[in-house]
Amino acid sequence: MIDRRTVLTAGATAAASLLLAGLPRPAAAQADGAAAFIDGMAKRAIGILQAGGASTAQGKAEFTQILNQGFDLPTIGRFVLGRYWNSATPEQRQEYMDLFERMIVETYSRRFQNYQGETLVVKGTRAVGSGNDTLVATEIRQKDGPPIQVDWRVRQAGGGYKVVDVIVARVSMSVTQRDEFASVIAQNGGSIDGLLRAMRQRAGG
């Protein structure tokens, strides 16, 4: 049985491996482009990991660049905040996005240091949503233990591609994070400031 902690850890491991057929099918060019995008980032990440990973300032900076270039963090951040985005002030939105992006980078950078030679294999693609997104199905093959199913929801943006969600063992990481943030806000009487305080503490500031 996969518990929440296992899913979160697997998601971070999958991101480290990334950063290492079904119907309906997306347009061939879109499907091929999305798959090549995931495979390319995997190769970039593995190269960094094999060179020492995120344990050095240079390695961490390179991983930060991969995340910023490969993940649509603004879109993910707004989705995670959910309905509270509309009620947030411009100042709260700005601080939230700054803290969210910092949290993602710090979390994945720490997880990258646990890389133990896992490999990512692209298994196929399919269209999702209105057809603008492509789900790239992959498998994280571990040295010890069964493979982990990881799907990457990829969206075309600005002539390229961006990851907008990661689904580990059929569980959306964005939805999981949204539920966690909503719980924190509820525990603070519906105040977004309560979430911002918790995020500041997590970020160490």
Side-chain angles (χ1 to χ4, degrees):
M1 180 177 181
I2 298 176
D3 59 21
R4 183 173 177 279
R5 182 174 181 180
T6 299
V7 169
L8 292 174
T9 301
T13 301
S17 299
L18 165 64
L19 301 160
L20 220 189
L23 295 174
R25 293 285 296 174
Q30 180 176 329
D32 292 345
F37 162 72
I38 294 295
D39 186 62
M41 282 206 298
K43 288 182 171 62
R44 285 180 62 196
I46 290 171
I48 296 171
L49 292 166
Q50 291 176 339
S55 59
T56 65
Q58 180 179 350
K60 184 175 180 179
E62 290 174 344
F63 271 115
T64 299
Q65 184 180 49
I66 290 175
L67 283 168
N68 286 330
Q69 290 178 348
F71 284 70
D72 190 345
L73 294 178
T75 294
I76 297 171
R78 288 186 62 168
F79 174 83
V80 167
L81 193 57
R83 63 188 177 88
Y84 297 104
W85 177 266
N86 293 328
S87 61
T89 66
E91 292 77 16
Q92 288 173 325
R93 291 178 179 179
Q94 183 62 57
E95 182 178 9
Y96 165 77
M97 287 307 308
D98 290 343
L99 289 169
F100 180 78
E101 294 184 17
R102 180 177 172 184
M103 181 188 76
I104 294 297
V105 170
E106 289 294 329
T107 297
Y108 285 164
S109 293
R110 286 195 301 270
R111 292 296 183 183
F112 293 152
Q113 297 179 38
N114 296 326
Y115 174 74
Q116 296 179 348
E118 296 87 352
T119 58
L120 179 143
V121 178
V122 176
K123 305 292 288 184
T125 60
R126 64 182 175 88
V128 289
S130 62
N132 293 326
D133 292 356
T134 301
L135 202 68
V136 180
T138 70
E139 191 173 81
I140 303 297
R141 295 180 178 174
Q142 308 176 87
K143 286 186 174 181
D144 299 309
I148 301 170
Q149 177 186 340
V150 181
D151 296 334
W152 308 88
R153 185 164 184 153
V154 177
R155 181 171 298 166
Q156 286 187 292
Y161 296 89
K162 295 280 190 178
V163 174
V164 294
D165 195 12
V166 182
I167 300 94
V168 182
R170 303 184 186 279
V171 177
S172 164
M173 304 307 295
S174 294
V175 171
T176 299
Q177 189 68 72
R178 184 177 63 181
D179 291 344
E180 179 181 332
F181 280 10
S183 176
V184 172
I185 292 173
Q187 291 170 12
N188 286 273
S191 171
I192 297 174
D193 287 331
L195 173 64
L196 295 176
R197 284 195 297 272
M199 293 176 74
R200 287 188 212 110
Q201 292 174 355
R202 182 181 296 188

